[in-house]
C-alpha cells in the first residue's frame, strides 16, 4: 500500500464548504422569525450556534484530513464500544426531546450519541469486513456477524426511539456489506425478514401508524399528523422557478414547525425556487461522485469500505430527508447534511468528510 500523500480531493472540499455556506445562510433565514420570540429573543440565535458548530466541524474535518486513515482501523473497536456505552447512557440519563430520549445534555449544548454511533459503526464494520472478506459469502460465519455490528446499535437507538437515525445506520451498513461481496440470495431472505420487522416496528407505535396514514393522505388529518407535510408542500409549491427571494418565505412565519431543522429544504425551495433546490442537489451529486471515486481508487479494502460507508451515510440521509419534505416518504426525523441546524449531525458529517479527504490523499 502506497503511503505517499498527495493533495486532498479539492472537489469534495468545494462541494462540502459550498453546502455548508448555503446552510448557514438558510438556517438564519429559516429561524430568524422563531428566534426573535421568547425564550430566545435574538433573531441570530440559531444562526450563531450553527456558525459555532460549523467552525468546530471544519476544525475536526481539517484534523481528520491530516490523520492517516489506517489509524482508524486500530481505534475502530474502541470507538464502537464507546458508541455503545453512550447509547446505553442516553437511555439512563438522556434528555427527552419530541418524544425521543436521544440527547445527552452538557451545559447549554447537547449531543446525540446516535449520530456519532453511525460513524463508529462505519469504521468498525469496515475493519471487520476487510479482515474477514473471504467469509462474507458464508451466512453464519460471515453475513450474520457482520450484521450483528450495526444491529446492536440499531436496537439501542430504537429504544430511544429514533427510527430515522436507525434507518440511516442500517441502510449504510447494508450497502457496505453488499459491496464487500455478500451473496444476493442471502440479502433477499434477510430483506424479507427486515420488511416484516420494519412493519412490526411501525405497528408497535401508534404515532408511526399515523405517520404512514398521513403520508398516504395528509389531508385526511390536516391539523395533526398531516400538518407538517402539507405545510412543507405549501412552501415548495409557491417557490416556482426562481423562488420568492431570500428571506421572503411565508411558511417560516410559524406555519411550518422548526423550518430550520428537518424541513429546511422546504424553505430553500420556497425562497430560492427550483433553481436553488437543483443547485443543492447538484452539489450533493458532485460530492457523491467524488466520494465514490475515492472509494473505488482507495489503496486497500479498509479504505475503500470506510469511504463507501461515509459517502453512503451522507447519500442515504439526503435521499430520506428530501423524500420526506417532498411527500415521497413518511415523516421521520432526519436532518439534511450540512444544511439543517444541529451540532451533533453537522460535526459528525464534517468529521466524516475529513476522513474521506484523507483517503483521497492516498487514492491510486
Amino acid at each position: 500500500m502506497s503511503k505517499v500523500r498527495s493533495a486532498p480531493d479539492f472537489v469534495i472540499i468545494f462541494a462540502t464548504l459550498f453546502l455548508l455556506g448555503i446552510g448557514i445562510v438558510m438556517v438564519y433565514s429559516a429561524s430568524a422569525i422563531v428566534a426573535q420570540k421568547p425564550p430566545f429573543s435574538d433573531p441570530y440565535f440559531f444562526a450563531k450556534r450553527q456558525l459555532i458548530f460549523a467552525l468546530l466541524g471544519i476544525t475536526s474535518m481539517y484534523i481528520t484530513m491530516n490523520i492517516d486513515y489506517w489509524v482508524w482501523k486500530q481505534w475502530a473497536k474502541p470507538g464502537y464500544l464507546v458508541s455503545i456505552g453512550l447509547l446505553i447512557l442516553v437511555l439512563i440519563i438522556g434528555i427527552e426531546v419530541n418524544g425521543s430520549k436521544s440527547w445527552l445534555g452538557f451545559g447549554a449544548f447537547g449531543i446525540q450519541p446516535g449520530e456519532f454511533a453511525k460513524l463508529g459503526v462505519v469504521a468498525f464494520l469496515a475493519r471487520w469486513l476487510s479482515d474477514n472478506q473471504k467469509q462474507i459469502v458464508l451466512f453464519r460465519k460471515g453475513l450474520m456477524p457482520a450484521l450483528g455490528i450495526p444491529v446492536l446499535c440499531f436496537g439501542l437507538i430504537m429504544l430511544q426511539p429514533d427510527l430515522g437515525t436507525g434507518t440511516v445506520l442500517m441502510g449504510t451498513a447494508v450497502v457496505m456489506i453488499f459491496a464487500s461481496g455478500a451473496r444476493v440470495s442471502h440479502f433477499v431472505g434477510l430483506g424479507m425478514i427486515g420488511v416484516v420487522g420494519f412493519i412490526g416496528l411501525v405497528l408497535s407505535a401508534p404515532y408511526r401508524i399515523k405517520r404512514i396514514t398521513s403520508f398516504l393522505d395528509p389531508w385526511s388529518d390536516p391539523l395533526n399528523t398531516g400538518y407538517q407535510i402539507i405545510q412543507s408542500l405549501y412552501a415548495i409549491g409557491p417557490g416556482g422557478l426562481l423562488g420568492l427571494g431570500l428571506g421572503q418565505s411565508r411558511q417560516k412565519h410559524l406555519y411550518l414547525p422548526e423550518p430550520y431543522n428537518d424541513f429546511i429544504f422546504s424553505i430553500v425551495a420556497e425562497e430560492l425556487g427550483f433553481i436553488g433546490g437543483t443547485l443543492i442537489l447538484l452539489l450533493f451529486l458532485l460530492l457523491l461522485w467524488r466520494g465514490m471515486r475515492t472509494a473505488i481508487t482507495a489503496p486497500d479494502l479498509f479504505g475503500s469500505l470506510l469511504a463507501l460507508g461515509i459517502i453512503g451515510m451522507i447519500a442515504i440521509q439526503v435521499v430520506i430527508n428530501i423524500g420526506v419534505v417532498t411527500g415521497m416518504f413518511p415523516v421521520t426525523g432526519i436532518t439534511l447534511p450540512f444544511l439543517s441546524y444541529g451540532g451533533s449531525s453537522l460535526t459528525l458529517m464534517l468529521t466524516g468528510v475529513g476522513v474521506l479527504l484523507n483517503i483521497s490523499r492516498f487514492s491510486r
Side-chain angles (χ1 to χ4, degrees):
M1 178 177 64
S2 174
K3 294 188 178 182
V4 179
R5 284 187 183 183
S6 60
D9 192 317
F10 174 76
V11 177
I12 293 178
I13 297 175
F14 167 78
T16 301
L17 295 183
F18 201 160
L19 286 166
L20 186 61
I22 294 173
I24 293 172
V25 172
M26 292 310 304
V27 164
Y28 167 69
S29 179
S31 67
I33 299 299
V34 176
Q36 69 183 4
K37 299 180 180 298
F40 310 112
S41 302
D42 177 7
Y44 297 98
F45 178 83
F46 293 102
K48 288 188 292 189
R49 287 169 67 94
Q50 186 75 347
L51 183 59
I52 293 172
F53 296 143
L55 292 175
L56 289 174
I58 290 173
T59 302
S60 180
M61 182 177 76
Y62 178 79
I63 292 172
T64 51
M65 183 180 72
N66 289 286
I67 297 176
D68 294 339
Y69 71 87
W70 49 83
V71 170
W72 303 117
K73 190 171 185 178
Q74 303 170 19
W75 290 96
K77 187 174 182 179
Y80 176 73
L81 294 176
V82 169
S83 297
I84 291 174
L86 289 173
L87 289 174
I88 294 173
L89 186 63
V90 77
L91 294 174
I92 301 172
I93 62 170
I95 301 170
E96 186 171 322
V97 178
N98 296 328
S100 180
K101 200 172 184 181
S102 56
W103 289 86
L104 286 175
F106 297 98
F109 293 89
I111 64 168
Q112 276 185 290
E115 292 290 334
F116 293 94
K118 290 189 290 190
L119 197 55
V121 166
V122 165
F124 187 49
L125 187 58
R127 169 183 161 172
W128 193 94
L129 291 171
S130 61
D131 289 342
N132 299 273
Q133 185 189 16
K134 293 181 179 179
Q135 292 183 327
I136 196 62
V137 295
L138 303 176
F139 185 79
R140 292 182 60 184
K141 294 183 178 180
L143 184 60
M144 293 307 293
L147 283 173
I149 293 171
V151 164
L152 177 57
C153 288
F154 175 77
L156 292 170
I157 289 171
M158 289 310 302
L159 290 175
Q160 297 175 5
D162 187 352
L163 183 60
T165 299
T167 300
V168 173
L169 184 146
M170 285 304 302
T172 304
V174 167
V175 168
M176 294 174 66
I177 294 170
F178 182 76
S180 68
R183 291 182 176 177
V184 176
S185 58
H186 291 165
F187 269 103
V188 171
L190 287 175
M192 295 176 66
I193 297 174
V195 169
V196 173
F198 185 82
I199 294 173
L201 287 172
V202 171
L203 295 178
S204 66
Y207 77 91
R208 292 186 191 133
I209 299 175
K210 291 180 179 179
R211 284 184 176 182
I212 296 295
T213 56
S214 66
F215 158 67
L216 297 173
D217 182 12
W219 279 269
S220 65
D221 191 8
L223 298 180
N224 190 12
T225 57
Y227 183 79
Q228 281 183 300
I229 186 59
I230 290 174
Q231 298 306 317
S232 177
L233 295 175
Y234 280 161
I236 295 172
L241 182 63
L242 299 176
L244 302 179
L246 185 63
Q248 301 304 309
S249 165
R250 294 189 288 260
Q251 290 304 107
K252 68 184 180 183
H253 287 261
L254 308 183
Y255 293 106
L256 182 62
E258 296 190 11
Y260 49 88
N261 204 334
D262 298 347
F263 283 83
I264 195 167
F265 189 78
S266 305
I267 305 301
V268 170
E270 185 181 16
E271 295 190 349
L272 305 182
F274 177 80
I275 299 297
T278 300
L279 173 62
I280 287 174
L281 292 178
L282 288 175
L283 287 169
F284 277 122
L285 285 174
L286 185 62
L287 181 60
L288 175 62
W289 165 52
R290 299 301 287 194
M292 290 301 298
R293 180 181 181 275
T294 299
I296 293 169
T297 59
D300 61 1
L301 183 58
F302 172 73
S304 182
L305 290 171
L306 184 59
L308 176 64
I310 292 169
I311 199 64
M313 175 177 63
I314 295 172
I316 290 171
Q317 202 155 318
V318 169
V319 169
I320 294 177
N321 177 274
I322 294 181
V324 166
V325 302
T326 55
M328 296 174 65
F329 299 147
V331 174
T332 185
I334 292 287
T335 58
L336 185 60
F338 313 117
L339 274 81
S340 293
Y341 172 80
S344 295
S345 177
L346 185 59
T347 52
L348 163 83
M349 288 296 176
L350 290 171
T351 299
V353 169
V355 177
L356 185 66
L357 286 168
N358 183 263
I359 299 171
S360 74
R361 301 183 72 172
F362 298 93
S363 296
R364 298 188 299 273

